[in-house]
Amino acid sequence: DYKEYKCWLRDEFEFRCVYCLQRETWSSEGAHVFSVDHAVPQCKNKSLACVYENLLYACLRCNSARQDAEVLDPTRAGMGRHAEVKPDGSIVG
């Protein structure tokens, strides 16, 4: 079960969401608002579901927003080079 890796991922990702960089300490619920996400979604490749290199530590908000969309693997590519934050707060890829 890939969820058993959560404690290892917490350490590796320094208790932060890989996408928005939210820290566990910023939430009164701590690790309960974080989950294990997949760089390559399970629906795209089930064989990677428990491959540690495919697992990410993400807050529930980012994990839910992403769902099964394919995005750049944030462990391999800096997101700042691929996104622009507009003055109104919207983000354009």
Side-chain angles (χ1 to χ4, degrees), residues 19 37-41 56 62-71:
Y19 301 110
D37 191 15
H38 296 82
V40 176
L56 306 168
C62 287
N63 197 347
S64 294
R66 180 179 165 216
Q67 295 183 1
D68 292 331
E70 289 191 53
V71 298

Side-chain angles (χ1 to χ4, degrees), residues 31-89:
H32 296 292
V33 294
F34 283 78
S35 62
V36 177
D37 191 15
H38 296 82
V40 176
Q42 294 181 75
C43 68
K44 305 288 183 191
N45 189 339
K46 289 190 186 290
S47 69
L48 296 175
C50 289
V51 174
Y52 190 81
E53 291 76 19
N54 189 49
L55 302 178
L56 306 168
Y57 194 62
C59 70
L60 294 176
R61 183 182 61 202
C62 287
N63 197 347
S64 294
R66 180 179 165 216
Q67 295 183 1
D68 292 331
E70 289 191 53
V71 298
L72 293 172
D73 181 345
T75 65
R76 298 194 188 335
M79 297 302 208
R81 295 181 182 176
H82 302 282
E84 175 186 358
V85 179
K86 298 288 187 177
D88 66 359

Side-chain angles (χ1 to χ4, degrees), residues 13-30:
F13 287 93
E14 299 177 348
F15 304 87
R16 306 180 156 246
C17 173
V18 70
Y19 301 110
C20 70
L21 303 179
Q22 174 184 338
R23 290 188 173 276
E24 281 184 18
T25 58
W26 296 349
S27 170
S28 61
E29 297 179 54

